[in-house]
Amino acid sequence: MNKKVLVIGGAGYLGSVLCDRLLSEGYSVRILDSFIYGKRSVEKYSGDKRVEITEGDIRNIETVNTAIRDTESVILLAAVVGDPASKARPEQTVETNFLAAQVVASSAKLAGVSKFIYASTCSVYGVGSEILDEEAPLNPVSLYAKTKISSEESIMGIADGNFKPVIMRMSTLYGWSPRMRFDLVVNTMTMTAFTEGRINVFGGNQWRPLLSLPDAADAYIKVLQKEQSAGKIYNVGSEEQNYIIADVANLVAKGIKSASGKDIPVNIEGESVDARDYRVSFKKIQSELGFTIKHSISSAAAEIWGKLESKEI
């Protein structure tokens, strides 16, 4: 069996963790990435015959078709990610998150790829007072979320008896990665605690679902390996990690104290400029695929703090 998986965005924050996990599960990996943040996260694969590395942009059709050739499965992670980046680069956001995603899915379908997995986001729910499952109405409050909804619709629109894509609506990720990001709430709080000696929270009562990187990688492995995931949409996360932001800050502070012995004050002020406020149901992925989480915000904050102290970050 050809167990080659194409990971588009494989050098990114989640991608670089997921690729390690795929290799540990016996897959070979082809990484397609534009490397706009450099190649440091994939340098460890130099000389590893199980890993092919291709530099390219998914807005280039030829690049996409070449990368998909002879792969069994495709995982599309690449995107202009998050509300601030999308707002700053709207044209690139539409081109990458929507138009290129359509091309990648169509190319995968024509190539006979057996499993196509698309990374969407729980941000598609925007604002909601109920606990939202996969059937809940979508209420995007950003260009980022709007492009993800458009991509979900276009990808599911070409599904048929042979091509059954899987949409994964990801919770807000956190934790250490070889390609670190500090625009995500847990990571931002940990960095601010390290550089300023405090955690700043704006508002604090808004709800958000969170998920660690290793747990996220585990979800992709489950979707890849379980036939019953074909053609489905899954919220990816856990009910126990639906948190209000003020509680996230306290968990980060707890993790830092365990790592360093330091008491970090939490400074709550004003209102949040981020309009998102939603709680999400994850019963579907738990019941159908047996997905459970193993990692916590406090332990992730402790790990990031340690890597900041050691200057690994």
mmCIF file of all heavy atoms in Angstrom, residues 186-221:
data_model
loop_
_atom_site.group_PDB
_atom_site.id
_atom_site.type_symbol
_atom_site.label_atom_id
_atom_site.label_comp_id
_atom_site.label_asym_id
_atom_site.label_seq_id
_atom_site.Cartn_x
_atom_site.Cartn_y
_atom_site.Cartn_z
ATOM 1 N N VAL A 186 -2.823 31.181 24.346
ATOM 2 C CA VAL A 186 -2.004 30.589 25.406
ATOM 3 C C VAL A 186 -0.539 30.963 25.219
ATOM 4 O O VAL A 186 0.159 31.333 26.178
ATOM 5 C CB VAL A 186 -2.177 29.051 25.434
ATOM 6 C CG1 VAL A 186 -1.160 28.399 26.377
ATOM 7 C CG2 VAL A 186 -3.592 28.685 25.841
ATOM 8 N N ASN A 187 -0.067 30.874 23.971
ATOM 9 C CA ASN A 187 1.328 31.182 23.669
ATOM 10 C C ASN A 187 1.630 32.666 23.912
ATOM 11 O O ASN A 187 2.683 33.020 24.440
ATOM 12 C CB ASN A 187 1.658 30.806 22.228
ATOM 13 C CG ASN A 187 1.395 29.335 21.922
ATOM 14 O OD1 ASN A 187 0.996 28.575 22.810
ATOM 15 N ND2 ASN A 187 1.605 28.930 20.697
ATOM 16 N N THR A 188 0.683 33.524 23.514
ATOM 17 C CA THR A 188 0.851 34.964 23.727
ATOM 18 C C THR A 188 0.961 35.276 25.212
ATOM 19 O O THR A 188 1.836 36.041 25.644
ATOM 20 C CB THR A 188 -0.356 35.735 23.142
ATOM 21 O OG1 THR A 188 -0.460 35.461 21.757
ATOM 22 C CG2 THR A 188 -0.206 37.237 23.336
ATOM 23 N N MET A 189 0.064 34.698 26.004
ATOM 24 C CA MET A 189 0.076 34.950 27.450
ATOM 25 C C MET A 189 1.390 34.498 28.078
ATOM 26 O O MET A 189 1.945 35.175 28.956
ATOM 27 C CB MET A 189 -1.097 34.231 28.113
ATOM 28 C CG MET A 189 -2.447 34.866 27.841
ATOM 29 S SD MET A 189 -3.784 33.886 28.584
ATOM 30 C CE MET A 189 -5.206 34.939 28.249
ATOM 31 N N THR A 190 1.891 33.345 27.637
ATOM 32 C CA THR A 190 3.144 32.825 28.200
ATOM 33 C C THR A 190 4.305 33.738 27.845
ATOM 34 O O THR A 190 5.158 34.044 28.692
ATOM 35 C CB THR A 190 3.402 31.390 27.699
ATOM 36 O OG1 THR A 190 2.238 30.593 27.925
ATOM 37 C CG2 THR A 190 4.579 30.762 28.418
ATOM 38 N N MET A 191 4.361 34.178 26.604
ATOM 39 C CA MET A 191 5.433 35.085 26.173
ATOM 40 C C MET A 191 5.356 36.419 26.915
ATOM 41 O O MET A 191 6.373 36.964 27.365
ATOM 42 C CB MET A 191 5.343 35.306 24.662
ATOM 43 C CG MET A 191 6.302 36.360 24.128
ATOM 44 S SD MET A 191 8.038 35.945 24.393
ATOM 45 C CE MET A 191 8.420 35.159 22.823
ATOM 46 N N THR A 192 4.138 36.959 27.066
ATOM 47 C CA THR A 192 3.982 38.233 27.780
ATOM 48 C C THR A 192 4.410 38.089 29.240
ATOM 49 O O THR A 192 5.058 38.979 29.804
ATOM 50 C CB THR A 192 2.518 38.717 27.707
ATOM 51 O OG1 THR A 192 2.119 38.783 26.345
ATOM 52 C CG2 THR A 192 2.362 40.095 28.317
ATOM 53 N N ALA A 193 4.068 36.958 29.842
ATOM 54 C CA ALA A 193 4.500 36.702 31.220
ATOM 55 C C ALA A 193 6.021 36.675 31.311
ATOM 56 O O ALA A 193 6.618 37.185 32.263
ATOM 57 C CB ALA A 193 3.917 35.381 31.710
ATOM 58 N N PHE A 194 6.657 36.103 30.303
ATOM 59 C CA PHE A 194 8.125 35.983 30.292
ATOM 60 C C PHE A 194 8.796 37.336 30.079
ATOM 61 O O PHE A 194 9.805 37.647 30.720
ATOM 62 C CB PHE A 194 8.545 35.002 29.184
ATOM 63 C CG PHE A 194 10.011 34.675 29.180
ATOM 64 C CD1 PHE A 194 10.530 33.739 30.072
ATOM 65 C CD2 PHE A 194 10.879 35.301 28.294
ATOM 66 C CE1 PHE A 194 11.884 33.433 30.070
ATOM 67 C CE2 PHE A 194 12.235 34.995 28.291
ATOM 68 C CZ PHE A 194 12.739 34.062 29.178
ATOM 69 N N THR A 195 8.247 38.147 29.169
ATOM 70 C CA THR A 195 8.899 39.417 28.811
ATOM 71 C C THR A 195 8.473 40.580 29.709
ATOM 72 O O THR A 195 9.259 41.493 29.956
ATOM 73 C CB THR A 195 8.606 39.787 27.348
ATOM 74 O OG1 THR A 195 7.185 39.833 27.143
ATOM 75 C CG2 THR A 195 9.225 38.779 26.385
ATOM 76 N N GLU A 196 7.229 40.542 30.208
ATOM 77 C CA GLU A 196 6.712 41.677 30.981
ATOM 78 C C GLU A 196 6.414 41.346 32.443
ATOM 79 O O GLU A 196 6.108 42.241 33.241
ATOM 80 C CB GLU A 196 5.427 42.220 30.329
ATOM 81 C CG GLU A 196 5.618 42.740 28.914
ATOM 82 C CD GLU A 196 4.320 43.250 28.315
ATOM 83 O OE1 GLU A 196 3.383 43.574 29.080
ATOM 84 O OE2 GLU A 196 4.248 43.327 27.070
ATOM 85 N N GLY A 197 6.470 40.058 32.788
ATOM 86 C CA GLY A 197 6.220 39.669 34.171
ATOM 87 C C GLY A 197 4.759 39.705 34.573
ATOM 88 O O GLY A 197 4.423 39.715 35.760
ATOM 89 N N ARG A 198 3.876 39.707 33.583
ATOM 90 C CA ARG A 198 2.436 39.693 33.883
ATOM 91 C C ARG A 198 1.694 39.139 32.670
ATOM 92 O O ARG A 198 2.252 39.022 31.578
ATOM 93 C CB ARG A 198 1.932 41.098 34.205
ATOM 94 C CG ARG A 198 2.046 42.057 33.043
ATOM 95 C CD ARG A 198 1.535 43.436 33.396
ATOM 96 N NE ARG A 198 1.601 44.329 32.242
ATOM 97 C CZ ARG A 198 1.125 45.570 32.240
ATOM 98 N NH1 ARG A 198 0.553 46.061 33.327
ATOM 99 N NH2 ARG A 198 1.229 46.315 31.174
ATOM 100 N N ILE A 199 0.414 38.805 32.876
ATOM 101 C CA ILE A 199 -0.451 38.357 31.780
ATOM 102 C C ILE A 199 -1.544 39.400 31.610
ATOM 103 O O ILE A 199 -2.225 39.759 32.572
ATOM 104 C CB ILE A 199 -1.066 36.975 32.078
ATOM 105 C CG1 ILE A 199 0.042 35.911 32.150
ATOM 106 C CG2 ILE A 199 -2.099 36.596 31.013
ATOM 107 C CD1 ILE A 199 -0.443 34.573 32.676
ATOM 108 N N ASN A 200 -1.701 39.889 30.400
ATOM 109 C CA ASN A 200 -2.717 40.901 30.107
ATOM 110 C C ASN A 200 -3.942 40.248 29.472
ATOM 111 O O ASN A 200 -3.812 39.485 28.511
ATOM 112 C CB ASN A 200 -2.162 41.961 29.147
ATOM 113 C CG ASN A 200 -0.983 42.697 29.755
ATOM 114 O OD1 ASN A 200 -1.020 43.096 30.909
ATOM 115 N ND2 ASN A 200 0.076 42.871 28.982
ATOM 116 N N VAL A 201 -5.113 40.547 30.017
ATOM 117 C CA VAL A 201 -6.370 40.026 29.468
ATOM 118 C C VAL A 201 -7.297 41.200 29.187
ATOM 119 O O VAL A 201 -7.501 42.058 30.049
ATOM 120 C CB VAL A 201 -7.058 39.058 30.465
ATOM 121 C CG1 VAL A 201 -8.408 38.599 29.925
ATOM 122 C CG2 VAL A 201 -6.159 37.861 30.747
ATOM 123 N N PHE A 202 -7.829 41.219 27.976
ATOM 124 C CA PHE A 202 -8.783 42.263 27.599
ATOM 125 C C PHE A 202 -10.182 41.643 27.581
ATOM 126 O O PHE A 202 -10.441 40.727 26.811
ATOM 127 C CB PHE A 202 -8.418 42.868 26.245
ATOM 128 C CG PHE A 202 -7.062 43.520 26.271
ATOM 129 C CD1 PHE A 202 -5.932 42.821 25.859
ATOM 130 C CD2 PHE A 202 -6.909 44.814 26.738
ATOM 131 C CE1 PHE A 202 -4.677 43.411 25.906
ATOM 132 C CE2 PHE A 202 -5.663 45.412 26.785
ATOM 133 C CZ PHE A 202 -4.539 44.710 26.370
ATOM 134 N N GLY A 203 -11.059 42.153 28.412
ATOM 135 C CA GLY A 203 -12.386 41.537 28.568
ATOM 136 C C GLY A 203 -12.264 40.353 29.502
ATOM 137 O O GLY A 203 -12.255 40.495 30.710
ATOM 138 N N GLY A 204 -12.167 39.158 28.918
ATOM 139 C CA GLY A 204 -11.919 37.959 29.713
ATOM 140 C C GLY A 204 -13.097 37.032 29.844
ATOM 141 O O GLY A 204 -12.949 35.869 30.222
ATOM 142 N N ASN A 205 -14.308 37.513 29.509
ATOM 143 C CA ASN A 205 -15.498 36.668 29.648
ATOM 144 C C ASN A 205 -15.886 35.953 28.359
ATOM 145 O O ASN A 205 -16.858 35.207 28.336
ATOM 146 C CB ASN A 205 -16.687 37.507 30.137
ATOM 147 C CG ASN A 205 -16.503 37.954 31.580
ATOM 148 O OD1 ASN A 205 -16.037 37.179 32.405
ATOM 149 N ND2 ASN A 205 -16.831 39.200 31.865
ATOM 150 N N GLN A 206 -15.148 36.200 27.277
ATOM 151 C CA GLN A 206 -15.477 35.555 26.002
ATOM 152 C C GLN A 206 -15.011 34.090 26.015
ATOM 153 O O GLN A 206 -13.947 33.777 26.510
ATOM 154 C CB GLN A 206 -14.863 36.326 24.823
ATOM 155 C CG GLN A 206 -13.362 36.456 24.783
ATOM 156 C CD GLN A 206 -12.801 37.640 25.557
ATOM 157 O OE1 GLN A 206 -13.263 37.954 26.640
ATOM 158 N NE2 GLN A 206 -11.785 38.274 24.994
ATOM 159 N N TRP A 207 -15.862 33.221 25.458
ATOM 160 C CA TRP A 207 -15.580 31.786 25.426
ATOM 161 C C TRP A 207 -14.749 31.433 24.195
ATOM 162 O O TRP A 207 -14.912 32.028 23.133
ATOM 163 C CB TRP A 207 -16.876 30.979 25.391
ATOM 164 C CG TRP A 207 -17.605 30.934 26.694
ATOM 165 C CD1 TRP A 207 -18.583 31.788 27.123
ATOM 166 C CD2 TRP A 207 -17.423 29.974 27.737
ATOM 167 N NE1 TRP A 207 -19.029 31.432 28.369
ATOM 168 C CE2 TRP A 207 -18.336 30.315 28.776
ATOM 169 C CE3 TRP A 207 -16.587 28.867 27.907
ATOM 170 C CZ2 TRP A 207 -18.421 29.577 29.942
ATOM 171 C CZ3 TRP A 207 -16.687 28.132 29.086
ATOM 172 C CH2 TRP A 207 -17.595 28.490 30.081
ATOM 173 N N ARG A 208 -13.899 30.425 24.368
ATOM 174 C CA ARG A 208 -13.108 29.934 23.249
ATOM 175 C C ARG A 208 -12.739 28.472 23.488
ATOM 176 O O ARG A 208 -12.348 28.114 24.603
ATOM 177 C CB ARG A 208 -11.814 30.771 23.135
ATOM 178 C CG ARG A 208 -11.126 30.781 21.775
ATOM 179 C CD ARG A 208 -11.919 31.486 20.702
ATOM 180 N NE ARG A 208 -12.441 32.769 21.116
ATOM 181 C CZ ARG A 208 -11.725 33.901 21.169
ATOM 182 N NH1 ARG A 208 -10.449 33.904 20.872
ATOM 183 N NH2 ARG A 208 -12.305 35.030 21.513
ATOM 184 N N PRO A 209 -12.859 27.611 22.475
ATOM 185 C CA PRO A 209 -12.383 26.233 22.622
ATOM 186 C C PRO A 209 -10.888 26.163 22.321
ATOM 187 O O PRO A 209 -10.415 26.778 21.369
ATOM 188 C CB PRO A 209 -13.183 25.480 21.560
ATOM 189 C CG PRO A 209 -13.447 26.501 20.492
ATOM 190 C CD PRO A 209 -13.507 27.837 21.161
ATOM 191 N N LEU A 210 -10.148 25.416 23.136
ATOM 192 C CA LEU A 210 -8.703 25.306 22.950
ATOM 193 C C LEU A 210 -8.274 23.857 22.785
ATOM 194 O O LEU A 210 -8.964 22.939 23.212
ATOM 195 C CB LEU A 210 -7.962 25.963 24.122
ATOM 196 C CG LEU A 210 -8.067 27.489 24.068
ATOM 197 C CD1 LEU A 210 -9.031 27.995 25.123
ATOM 198 C CD2 LEU A 210 -6.723 28.146 24.214
ATOM 199 N N LEU A 211 -7.090 23.669 22.171
ATOM 200 C CA LEU A 211 -6.602 22.319 21.875
ATOM 201 C C LEU A 211 -5.082 22.362 21.735
ATOM 202 O O LEU A 211 -4.534 23.227 21.046
ATOM 203 C CB LEU A 211 -7.226 21.815 20.565
ATOM 204 C CG LEU A 211 -6.840 20.417 20.097
ATOM 205 C CD1 LEU A 211 -7.405 19.345 21.036
ATOM 206 C CD2 LEU A 211 -7.341 20.171 18.676
ATOM 207 N N SER A 212 -4.408 21.407 22.377
ATOM 208 C CA SER A 212 -2.946 21.350 22.285
ATOM 209 C C SER A 212 -2.510 20.788 20.934
ATOM 210 O O SER A 212 -3.244 20.004 20.308
ATOM 211 C CB SER A 212 -2.372 20.483 23.402
ATOM 212 O OG SER A 212 -2.571 19.112 23.103
ATOM 213 N N LEU A 213 -1.307 21.139 20.523
ATOM 214 C CA LEU A 213 -0.778 20.638 19.246
ATOM 215 C C LEU A 213 -0.679 19.116 19.186
ATOM 216 O O LEU A 213 -1.104 18.517 18.191
ATOM 217 C CB LEU A 213 0.609 21.241 18.979
ATOM 218 C CG LEU A 213 0.664 22.635 18.367
ATOM 219 C CD1 LEU A 213 2.112 23.010 18.097
ATOM 220 C CD2 LEU A 213 -0.125 22.701 17.074
ATOM 221 N N PRO A 214 -0.136 18.437 20.207
ATOM 222 C CA PRO A 214 -0.072 16.973 20.115
ATOM 223 C C PRO A 214 -1.446 16.332 20.003
ATOM 224 O O PRO A 214 -1.621 15.342 19.287
ATOM 225 C CB PRO A 214 0.638 16.543 21.405
ATOM 226 C CG PRO A 214 1.174 17.769 22.029
ATOM 227 C CD PRO A 214 0.521 18.957 21.414
ATOM 228 N N ASP A 215 -2.433 16.892 20.702
ATOM 229 C CA ASP A 215 -3.789 16.359 20.593
ATOM 230 C C ASP A 215 -4.369 16.617 19.200
ATOM 231 O O ASP A 215 -5.076 15.771 18.642
ATOM 232 C CB ASP A 215 -4.696 16.970 21.668
ATOM 233 C CG ASP A 215 -4.398 16.439 23.067
ATOM 234 O OD1 ASP A 215 -3.940 15.284 23.178
ATOM 235 O OD2 ASP A 215 -4.610 17.178 24.046
ATOM 236 N N ALA A 216 -4.066 17.792 18.639
ATOM 237 C CA ALA A 216 -4.517 18.098 17.277
ATOM 238 C C ALA A 216 -3.927 17.104 16.282
ATOM 239 O O ALA A 216 -4.633 16.582 15.405
ATOM 240 C CB ALA A 216 -4.133 19.526 16.901
ATOM 241 N N ALA A 217 -2.643 16.815 16.418
ATOM 242 C CA ALA A 217 -1.991 15.850 15.523
ATOM 243 C C ALA A 217 -2.654 14.480 15.656
ATOM 244 O O ALA A 217 -2.872 13.778 14.655
ATOM 245 C CB ALA A 217 -0.498 15.757 15.845
ATOM 246 N N ASP A 218 -3.014 14.112 16.878
ATOM 247 C CA ASP A 218 -3.689 12.832 17.116
ATOM 248 C C ASP A 218 -5.034 12.782 16.383
ATOM 249 O O ASP A 218 -5.416 11.742 15.824
ATOM 250 C CB ASP A 218 -3.899 12.635 18.618
ATOM 251 C CG ASP A 218 -4.457 11.262 18.951
ATOM 252 O OD1 ASP A 218 -3.918 10.265 18.437
ATOM 253 O OD2 ASP A 218 -5.432 11.183 19.718
ATOM 254 N N ALA A 219 -5.740 13.916 16.355
ATOM 255 C CA ALA A 219 -7.029 13.961 15.651
ATOM 256 C C ALA A 219 -6.847 13.692 14.159
ATOM 257 O O ALA A 219 -7.649 12.975 13.545
ATOM 258 C CB ALA A 219 -7.693 15.324 15.868
ATOM 259 N N TYR A 220 -5.814 14.250 13.554
ATOM 260 C CA TYR A 220 -5.561 14.020 12.126
ATOM 261 C C TYR A 220 -5.222 12.553 11.852
ATOM 262 O O TYR A 220 -5.658 11.988 10.846
ATOM 263 C CB TYR A 220 -4.441 14.936 11.614
ATOM 264 C CG TYR A 220 -4.933 16.337 11.347
ATOM 265 C CD1 TYR A 220 -5.010 17.272 12.372
ATOM 266 C CD2 TYR A 220 -5.365 16.718 10.081
ATOM 267 C CE1 TYR A 220 -5.490 18.551 12.146
ATOM 268 C CE2 TYR A 220 -5.843 17.999 9.844
ATOM 269 C CZ TYR A 220 -5.913 18.899 10.878
ATOM 270 O OH TYR A 220 -6.406 20.165 10.646
ATOM 271 N N ILE A 221 -4.457 11.942 12.746
ATOM 272 C CA ILE A 221 -4.136 10.523 12.576
ATOM 273 C C ILE A 221 -5.413 9.687 12.630
ATOM 274 O O ILE A 221 -5.617 8.779 11.807
ATOM 275 C CB ILE A 221 -3.143 10.054 13.667
ATOM 276 C CG1 ILE A 221 -1.813 10.816 13.568
ATOM 277 C CG2 ILE A 221 -2.923 8.550 13.582
ATOM 278 C CD1 ILE A 221 -1.029 10.597 12.306
#
